[in-house]
Amino acid sequence: MKLKLLSVAIAATLASTAAIAADTQKEETIVVTGSALDTHIQTSIDSETLEQKQASDIKDILNTMPSVTVDGNARYSRKVFIRGMEDKYAVVTIDGARQEGQLFHHSGDQTIDPALLKVAEIELGANSALSGAGVINGSFSYETKDPDDLLKEGERFGARVKTNYQSAYERKGVNVSVYTKLNDQWQFMGIGHWSEDGDLYIPDHDKVSSKQGELKSGLAKLVYMPNDNNEFKLSVNHYSDGGKRQLSGEKNGALYADDEHKYNAINRDTVTLQHHYDAGSDLLNLKTQLYYNRQYMDRDQLTDVLWDKDANGDWIKDGKVDIPKREYNVTTVGGDIRNISWIGDHQITYGYEAYHAKQWIDAEDGKIVSGTRKGQTQKYAMDGGTVTAHGLYVQDMFEFSQFRLTTGLRYDIHQLGGVFDGNFSQLSPKFKGEYQATDELKLRVGYGRIFKGASLPEALTMKPAEKVKQSETKAMTGHNYEAGFDYNLTNLLASDRSIIGFTAYRYNVDNQIHPTKNNSTLSNQNDVHVWGVETVFTYSLSDFDLYANHSYSKGQETNLKTGVESQMNKTGIHNFKAGVKYHLDEDIVFGWDARYVPSNSYTDKSIDRKGKYSEEEIERKGFSTHNLWAAYNPSFAKDLTLNLAVDNLFNKKYAEHTGFGISWGSDKYTSYEAGRNLKASVAYEF
């Protein structure tokens, strides 16, 4: 029974559709089939598929996923939404390191380079005790490559060089990898990636010259296996995307052709140490990880308008100020230790998670050069808030008859510090139930109690301690409910593997709080309710693979200050996605990915600062896009790989409905996506 449960664990952890374990004593083979969503994730987010499609940013990684939307037309502007809410309500990890905090509300926070990525696991909803503290709408877990992933069988040393170009971004890049197996115990890998963007091309639009940038990304990883029971991994990951460009990458392209922008950059440094100990015991299978993660934004010095508020609370200009270079920081230091024990028919996973996050600004003082405060200095360096979190968790998975039950429990403590105060805790039960009704039909239900303490607010608009007047901050709490099924269509469709899955969900978040500009009060903003559906279909036959999925979410929010109830403007959106992959022969594989988002509308309701109530009908125009791609790995030169692709094949001018401007009905501020993008790359292994 232990081997059966171990197979289930592997299937869940790696989002795998099939895991096989053999009982050498009984000479049995056990096959575990996962869900339709698991199948799609496994085949769509791995290093091989991302390489074939020439993925170069977070949108390329996630664009086939149901209930996930990525908007923004520049790499540093990409924002991720999952089940109707932003990824600020999800847990994001890279090699186990939590990505805490928000640097700037007009830029994205998922800074992962696909060139370094091995696989990603996506958990929708909040029904697992193992996803980490603070999950509301889901989790993103990214794992970077290991030396073993690049070394060929019997190879001790290898190297790879790749060059690429993308027309819509004028993006050119070089990727260099070296990897070695020093002996049976030590392995090392180093990957360096550089790319540069020029003008951005948008159909029926002047070229955007204000979003140029340079990406420098790298990964060094050392693997040590002293014996069969232990494995250690030490990795250092650096990401830097910067340039002389408009600061607000999320906004529509500013065409400042004759005006030089100041330098700004989004950066991340992540160091992780992971240890896995497996003694072959039923009671001990231990995983430990420690990490340091720093996200920071650099801004160049400049002279800018000095803003102040008049007696009516309106913003007015009051001279100019010389602002020094600034560095906005959010660091997270933490770890997780968990063990898996098999007791009878039960697979029990239990552990302890802790992290400490803090924010601050490094800068010299600025000097006011005009206005009523001329000659005075202005302080830009400051310390902000901190979060200290602890979590104990346990999850039990067991099977009997046709049932598989997964019950979990988390106890989380969330403490605010620095310029903020607050101490929150909650015991949160989790549950997943599966019933194999027939050989083909599996029914699913799930429940998760939601708990998330206040996140650190936006770093760029940080306030000094004397200007922080914190309100009565409350933790975010709620409930997540899910029900669905998976139906195995393999025999019915005479395929190698085919499955369809459907999920309906509903969750609420009381005292919702968003980090953007919420620095002086850290106040709760809304009570929200979201419901939605997801349908996923996959089909494989010989060298042909097909996927299709649909997702829809609808959310209502009640403003805690005004009492006005309105539709959440990132919801009410149908998303249809489909694609195929076909191996023409041993040398050539090609594919197609498509999306269709129909038009939709909603009524926005609000009360302004003067107490005036208003309603506005918001309409969002539908769109469809098509991407084609192909990879050629010739038999006569297996070390050579050629990739060709075209995204947005029909050069559609469109904007993601979650995007800036269009989501609240402003055409003036709508940020349109890139037009037809021709992509080519050449790679050679030594």
Side-chain angles (χ1 to χ4, degrees):
M1 192 63 182
K2 169 189 169 182
L3 288 172
K4 184 177 181 181
L5 291 170
L6 177 59
S7 298
V8 175
I10 294 172
T13 304
L14 299 181
S16 174
T17 62
I20 299 176
D23 187 326
T24 56
Q25 293 181 346
K26 297 182 181 180
E27 295 184 355
E28 293 179 350
T29 299
I30 300 168
V31 179
V32 179
T33 302
S35 69
L37 179 63
D38 292 340
T39 304
H40 181 53
I41 293 173
Q42 182 198 28
T43 56
S44 294
I45 309 181
D46 60 35
S47 58
E48 181 182 40
T49 302
L50 296 177
E51 177 83 14
Q52 291 168 344
K53 295 183 178 182
Q54 301 183 66
S56 61
D57 60 36
I58 191 67
K59 185 165 188 171
D60 295 333
I61 297 173
L62 300 174
N63 64 358
T64 70
M65 291 297 106
S67 283
V68 178
T69 301
V70 184
D71 61 49
N73 57 23
R75 182 162 40 207
Y76 70 110
S77 71
R78 304 293 201 199
K79 287 196 171 183
V80 181
F81 295 84
I82 175 171
R83 283 190 170 180
M85 295 181 72
E86 206 170 340
D87 58 0
K88 303 297 179 289
Y89 305 98
V91 170
V92 180
T93 62
I94 299 175
D95 287 336
R98 292 180 67 105
Q99 308 295 298
E100 287 295 305
Q102 182 185 48
L103 293 175
F104 180 41
H105 63 278
H106 286 310
S107 63
D109 290 310
Q110 289 209 36
T111 52
I112 179 70
D113 183 355
L116 312 180
L117 187 61
K118 174 181 179 179
V119 69
E121 177 187 352
I122 300 172
E123 178 90 14
L124 300 177
N127 298 341
S128 173
L130 309 181
S131 295
V135 173
I136 291 179
N137 53 352
S139 63
F140 300 85
S141 178
Y142 299 104
E143 181 183 351
T144 59
K145 294 175 181 176
D146 290 333
D148 261 347
D149 301 319
L150 301 177
L151 286 164
K152 296 177 181 178
E153 186 176 353
E155 192 175 48
R156 286 285 182 176
F157 176 83
R160 188 172 189 265
V161 177
K162 176 183 175 182
T163 62
N164 60 83
Y165 179 77
Q166 298 189 25
S167 64
Y169 304 96
E170 296 184 349
R171 178 175 294 166
K172 52 184 180 292
V174 177
N175 182 287
V176 178
S177 306
V178 293
Y179 32 92
T180 181
K181 185 176 182 180
L182 301 173
N183 52 44
D184 291 339
Q185 294 182 330
W186 293 93
Q187 297 178 9
F188 174 78
M189 176 188 69
I191 302 177
H193 181 210
W194 170 88
S195 73
E196 185 177 55
D197 286 7
D199 290 347
L200 171 67
Y201 168 65
I202 296 173
D204 302 321
H205 197 289
D206 291 336
K207 281 194 173 183
V208 178
S209 61
S210 61
K211 295 191 178 184
Q212 301 177 357
E214 181 182 43
L215 172 68
K216 291 178 286 187
S217 177
L219 173 69
K221 183 174 289 188
L222 184 67
V223 179
Y224 175 51
M225 295 172 286
N227 50 51
D228 293 339
N229 301 330
N230 290 277
E231 181 183 59
F232 296 86
K233 293 181 183 180
L234 175 64
S235 65
V236 179
N237 185 192
H238 174 71
Y239 181 101
S240 178
D241 179 11
K244 290 186 175 182
R245 60 194 185 188
Q246 66 183 74
L247 178 67
S248 300
E250 182 187 27
K251 292 184 177 181
N252 55 336
L255 306 178
Y256 303 148
D258 300 321
D259 187 15
E260 182 180 3
H261 289 272
K262 297 296 182 179
Y263 180 87
N264 66 83
I266 301 290
N267 311 284
R268 174 179 55 81
D269 292 315
T270 304
V271 181
T272 63
L273 175 62
Q274 298 173 311
H275 173 231
H276 182 203
Y277 176 71
D278 183 2
S281 164
D282 286 356
L283 298 179
L284 188 60
N285 192 307
L286 186 66
K287 291 185 177 181
T288 305
Q289 59 185 22
L290 302 172
Y291 61 85
Y292 167 84
N293 189 78
R294 177 185 175 218
Q295 298 187 88
Y296 53 105
M297 171 184 279
D298 292 324
R299 293 187 66 187
D300 211 350
Q301 63 187 55
L302 75 157
T303 300
D304 203 3
V305 173
L306 188 64
W307 293 88
D308 204 348
K309 286 187 176 181
D310 62 16
N312 298 321
D314 295 322
W315 286 103
I316 58 172
K317 297 179 181 180
D318 185 17
K320 291 188 175 183
V321 57
D322 284 337
I323 304 175
K325 291 182 178 180
R326 289 135 292 156
E327 186 180 78
Y328 304 86
N329 294 270
V330 179
T331 59
T332 310
V333 180
D336 182 281
I337 180 169
R338 67 177 57 179
N339 185 53
I340 300 176
S341 297
W342 291 267
I343 302 175
D345 292 339
H346 296 259
Q347 176 191 294
I348 303 174
T349 305
Y350 48 95
Y352 169 70
E353 173 192 9
Y355 68 89
H356 177 75
K358 66 176 182 178
Q359 58 182 178
W360 77 95
I361 302 174
D362 280 335
E364 302 293 334
D365 290 345
K367 184 177 180 180
I368 300 173
V369 295
S370 64
T372 60
R373 297 167 54 198
K374 181 179 179 180
Q376 297 181 20
T377 60
Q378 181 134 319
K379 190 174 181 62
Y380 287 91
M382 67 187 76
D383 290 326
T386 68
V387 167
T388 303
H390 304 270
L392 290 169
Y393 56 87
V394 59
Q395 186 157 287
D396 177 26
M397 181 168 61
F398 65 99
E399 295 179 345
F400 65 95
S401 187
Q402 282 75 45
F403 291 90
R404 179 189 297 168
L405 301 181
T406 305
T407 56
L409 195 65
R410 289 191 63 95
Y411 180 66
D412 290 296
I413 299 173
H414 188 94
Q415 298 172 314
L416 295 173
V419 298
F420 302 110
D421 294 304
N423 196 324
F424 318 99
S425 62
Q426 181 174 284
L427 189 66
S428 305
K430 312 282 187 178
F431 173 76
K432 296 179 184 179
E434 299 179 1
Y435 172 59
Q436 198 71 42
T438 69
D439 289 343
E440 291 80 22
L441 178 63
K442 178 172 66 179
L443 305 177
R444 296 180 276 104
V445 295
Y447 167 77
R449 181 82 168 107
I450 289 172
F451 170 77
K452 182 177 179 63
S455 301
L456 292 177
E458 177 187 355
L460 189 131
T461 57
M462 195 184 303
K463 306 294 183 187
E466 62 270 17
K467 292 188 177 181
V468 174
K469 298 179 180 178
Q470 187 179 354
S471 62
E472 187 179 345
T473 307
K474 299 178 181 178
M476 292 172 272
T477 59
H479 306 269
N480 183 75
Y481 302 92
E482 296 183 22
F485 68 85
D486 289 292
Y487 193 87
N488 193 322
L489 297 167
T490 301
N491 293 330
L492 182 63
L493 299 180
S495 63
D496 295 333
R497 184 179 67 250
S498 183
I499 188 170
I500 187 170
F502 173 81
T503 302
Y505 63 87
R506 182 179 182 89
Y507 67 93
N508 73 286
V509 183
D510 294 336
N511 300 305
Q512 175 257 355
I513 180 172
H514 196 279
T516 293
K517 298 182 181 178
N518 202 356
N519 300 88
S520 59
T521 60
L522 207 62
S523 59
N524 303 95
Q525 296 153 336
N526 301 289
D527 286 342
V528 304
H529 293 81
V530 182
W531 68 269
V533 293
E534 298 149 354
T535 305
V536 183
F537 170 73
T538 64
Y539 175 90
S540 295
L541 178 63
S542 186
D543 295 322
F544 177 80
D545 296 288
L546 179 148
Y547 75 87
N549 60 67
H550 163 260
S551 57
Y552 176 80
S553 66
K554 185 72 172 290
Q556 293 292 121
E557 60 186 15
T558 302
N559 188 290
L560 295 175
K561 184 177 181 180
T562 65
V564 173
E565 182 177 311
S566 184
Q567 179 177 320
M568 296 167 63
N569 64 10
K570 311 297 184 180
T571 69
I573 304 165
H574 287 277
N575 237 307
F576 297 88
K577 303 179 182 182
V580 297
K581 179 180 181 179
Y582 180 63
H583 288 265
L584 183 63
D585 54 29
E586 183 183 351
D587 299 350
I588 300 175
V589 57
F590 63 88
W592 160 78
D593 296 286
R595 289 185 58 208
Y596 170 59
V597 178
S599 300
N600 58 79
S601 63
Y602 71 96
T603 302
D604 182 57
K605 305 173 184 178
S606 63
I607 295 179
D608 64 19
R609 288 186 303 173
K610 298 180 180 179
K612 182 180 179 181
Y613 175 81
S614 64
E615 291 187 5
E616 183 181 3
E617 188 70 12
I618 307 299
E619 296 186 1
R620 295 178 284 206
K621 184 180 179 181
F623 64 88
S624 62
T625 62
H626 299 265
N627 301 338
L628 295 177
W629 56 270
Y632 177 47
N633 184 208
S635 301
F636 62 85
K638 278 299 183 183
D639 294 327
L640 177 68
T641 303
L642 304 174
N643 293 280
L644 294 173
V646 54
D647 291 346
N648 195 358
L649 176 64
F650 299 110
N651 203 30
K652 179 74 174 181
K653 184 178 182 180
Y654 74 100
E656 296 284 357
H657 289 184
T658 58
F660 192 77
I662 190 173
S663 60
W664 73 85
S666 172
D667 183 66
K668 176 182 177 181
Y669 288 106
T670 291
S671 185
Y672 289 98
E673 300 290 323
R676 183 184 295 116
N677 184 26
L678 303 176
K679 304 194 291 189
S681 69
V682 180
Y684 189 81
E685 298 181 43
F686 298 90

